[in-house]
Amino acid sequence: MEKLSSSTIIFILIVIAVYIVITTYLTFKMRSKSNSEFNNAAKSLPALVVGVLLMSEFLGTKSTIGTAESAFKNGFAASWSLLAGAIGFFLFAFFLVTRFYNTGHFTISGIIKEKYGTSTKLVVSIIMILALLLVNLGNYLSGAAAISSILGIPIMTCAIITMIISTIYFTFGGMKGVAWITIIHSTFKYAGILLTAFIALYMVGGLKPMQLELPEYYFTWDGKIGVSTIIAWLIGTMGTIFSTQFIIQAITSTKDAKAAKRATIYAGLLFLPLAVAVAIIGVCARYLYPDIDPLYAFPVFMQHMHPILSAIVATSLVASIFVGVSTVALSTTTLVIEDFVVPRKAMTPEQKMKATRIASVIIGILPLIGVVFAPDLLTLSFFTRALRASIAVVAGMGFFLPLYSSNRGATIGLSVAALGTTVWYLLDDPFGIDNMYIAVVAPFIVMVIDRWISKAAAGPNK
């Protein structure tokens, strides 16, 4: 794509710099001063704030740029990757959020331990930590690509900048600071996406010209993606919502279960217009710029905007990056501290807060190692969702099929699912079977077999 003019780039840099300074200052003003505030804002957040937080965590730069990239190649059906989020939050609100909230735990591993045992808890925590580090790998890559395409700075340099600023946000802000700053980030993100979609449609002249020129599948419900992949997206996204650490952490930041339920409904509603808008951006980019790298389907429109509008969209992308990285790293830090540090060492509240901040910095840096080797954004995104979906299966069986919820079966099932899903992903989904199905089916089968074995072993002893 063409580079912006030097004057426009300087103006955008000034706006972004001012934005970063203001939000960093506010982060320090609203920083978490205790472990309770760091982990779940001492249960003080309003439902709407948590709803915005949930939407923003799930709809980071990786999802927006990745979905626009997919729409560029596959048509409007790419919007299913985001519509699945709305569906998932609605189902979560009506079936699981109250159950999770009432356990009193703010980690998914803590909830799992209550239903199964310590070994399953540790496996869940390890899988979730690795998955979340991969999520931030994708966040760094997509964010760096967006900034690089706008400013012409090397991708690795942009990734380092992203890491430094985001780490400051979540290391000092914790859940309390991140939640309130996310309201500002999300306002820019929402405005930037809708503004870009409107400009893209204006440049094209509406849907009609695209329908005449582009292949027919660009406007069908399943596009070039296929039913199997869409179903896998739905399963994976819903599973991720049901099990991701930050989702659990965020809903427990509300004052009660009713507020937590309202928050998840708000998150689902906020998803709907964005799913359509991002798909429009990708398809319009395909019509106007068929020869560009699909990765730049979203930022390419900035070169045709007024500098002020370009600055708004650029800031929205930067805000989206900071939200995604901060929330994921915050939840990863919580798991590391609560599951692997606290059980092994007695600490005063001050020592625990210090350990938490040190762990935060390390977790902020780790994903940078894999930036150079990251594969396609959307496939990476859904691979990490597949890993987390296996945890959702185990959690669901613990609540709804307690006869099958043995510690041994859950531990083995999760281990088999994690290994099998990873191998299947690395083999590029043989036989056209998405790795998401491996993640969902494997723990269920293992736990059912374990139940049969236990029942058969108990039979002769009766």
Side-chain angles (χ1 to χ4, degrees):
M1 62 178 265
E2 298 176 13
K3 300 295 182 183
L4 298 173
S5 67
S6 298
S7 59
T8 300
I9 290 176
I10 292 171
F11 178 70
I12 290 173
L13 280 172
I14 292 172
V15 172
I16 291 175
V18 171
Y19 179 84
I20 289 173
V21 169
I22 292 173
T23 52
T24 301
Y25 169 76
L26 292 174
T27 296
F28 278 98
K29 288 286 288 184
M30 294 182 282
R31 69 187 181 276
S32 296
K33 298 177 182 178
S34 67
N35 291 290
S36 178
E37 289 184 341
F38 188 95
N39 290 327
N40 60 1
K43 294 186 177 293
S44 63
L45 298 180
L48 182 58
V49 171
V50 174
V52 173
L53 189 59
L54 292 173
M55 178 275 294
S56 289
E57 188 276 338
F58 216 82
L59 192 67
T61 306
K62 179 164 51 64
S63 293
T64 52
I65 291 181
T67 301
E69 176 187 358
S70 180
F72 183 100
K73 297 183 287 188
N74 303 304
F76 277 100
S79 63
W80 279 109
S81 66
L82 300 182
L83 289 172
I87 296 169
F89 275 117
F90 291 144
L91 292 175
F92 186 54
F94 291 104
F95 291 104
L96 279 174
V97 68
T98 300
R99 292 173 183 267
F100 281 6
Y101 190 97
N102 289 337
T103 65
H105 296 287
F106 58 83
T107 65
I108 183 62
S109 53
I111 294 172
I112 292 292
K113 180 182 179 182
E114 185 175 293
K115 292 295 178 180
Y116 295 98
T118 301
S119 65
T120 304
K121 168 193 171 181
L122 292 177
V123 172
V124 164
S125 192
I126 291 169
I127 292 173
M128 185 62 68
I129 288 169
L130 292 175
L132 293 177
L133 287 173
L134 286 174
V135 169
N136 260 355
L137 164 60
N139 282 335
Y140 284 162
L141 179 65
S142 60
I147 297 173
S148 176
S149 67
I150 297 167
L151 305 177
I153 302 173
I155 285 182
M156 195 63 192
T157 302
C158 295
I160 293 171
I161 294 171
T162 299
M163 180 274 295
I164 293 172
I165 302 301
S166 299
T167 300
I168 291 173
Y169 282 146
F170 77 85
T171 298
F172 292 96
M175 178 63 77
K176 178 187 173 185
V178 166
W180 288 105
I181 297 301
T182 293
I183 297 297
I184 302 173
H185 290 328
S186 298
T187 300
F188 273 92
K189 177 163 64 174
Y190 225 91
I193 292 173
L194 295 181
L195 177 62
T196 304
F198 175 80
I199 290 173
L201 273 178
Y202 177 80
M203 291 174 62
V204 168
L207 294 176
K208 193 66 176 177
M210 293 191 293
Q211 290 175 315
L212 293 174
E213 295 292 332
L214 295 178
E216 184 178 348
Y217 66 79
Y218 269 78
F219 304 94
T220 61
W221 73 273
D222 62 343
K224 202 177 179 181
I225 294 170
V227 177
S228 175
T229 299
I230 291 174
I231 292 174
W233 284 356
L234 289 167
I235 294 172
T237 301
M238 288 187 285
T240 301
I241 290 172
F242 296 170
S243 65
T244 294
Q245 167 59 25
F246 187 77
I247 303 295
I248 309 302
Q249 212 165 331
I251 63 170
T252 61
S253 299
T254 58
K255 64 179 181 179
D256 55 40
K258 289 182 178 179
K261 186 174 182 178
R262 289 199 307 274
T264 55
I265 293 173
Y266 293 151
L269 292 173
L270 288 167
F271 254 95
L272 295 175
L274 296 183
V276 177
V278 173
I280 287 173
I281 292 167
V283 174
C284 289
R286 169 63 177 80
Y287 176 80
L288 293 169
Y289 314 103
D291 298 323
I292 66 166
D293 184 338
L295 182 63
Y296 301 113
F298 191 112
V300 70
F301 289 100
M302 291 180 57
Q303 65 193 28
H304 298 289
M305 295 181 186
H306 185 278
I308 293 177
L309 298 182
S310 294
I312 292 173
V313 174
T315 305
S316 78
L317 290 173
V318 170
S320 185
I321 297 163
F322 293 154
V323 171
V325 173
S326 298
T327 53
V328 170
L330 171 62
S331 58
T332 310
T333 301
T334 300
L335 283 175
V336 170
I337 294 298
E338 296 298 324
D339 292 348
F340 297 100
V341 177
V342 171
R344 287 165 175 75
K345 183 179 180 181
M347 291 183 289
T348 64
E350 293 76 17
Q351 290 173 325
K352 184 180 177 183
M353 194 74 253
K354 182 179 179 181
T356 299
R357 299 206 193 282
I358 293 171
S360 297
V361 174
I362 295 171
I363 287 165
I365 294 171
L366 279 177
L368 278 177
I369 298 170
V371 166
V372 178
F373 308 103
D376 178 79
L377 283 177
L378 207 58
T379 60
L380 176 63
S381 174
F382 280 95
F383 168 63
T384 64
R385 293 184 186 185
L387 290 176
R388 289 173 284 169
S390 64
I391 297 173
V393 171
V394 172
M397 292 182 73
F399 281 104
F400 299 109
L401 295 172
L403 289 177
Y404 292 87
S405 56
S406 79
N407 186 43
R408 179 183 65 183
T411 301
I412 297 173
L414 282 168
S415 301
V416 170
L419 179 61
T421 302
T422 302
V423 170
W424 209 260
Y425 172 74
L426 293 175
L427 292 175
D428 198 22
D429 296 342
F431 313 111
I433 300 173
D434 196 283
N435 59 81
M436 188 68 69
Y437 295 110
I438 307 298
V440 171
V441 172
F444 178 80
I445 292 176
V446 170
M447 292 174 73
V448 169
I449 292 173
D450 178 73
R451 168 64 178 167
W452 289 344
I453 293 172
S454 299
K455 195 173 181 180
N461 296 325
K462 288 185 178 180

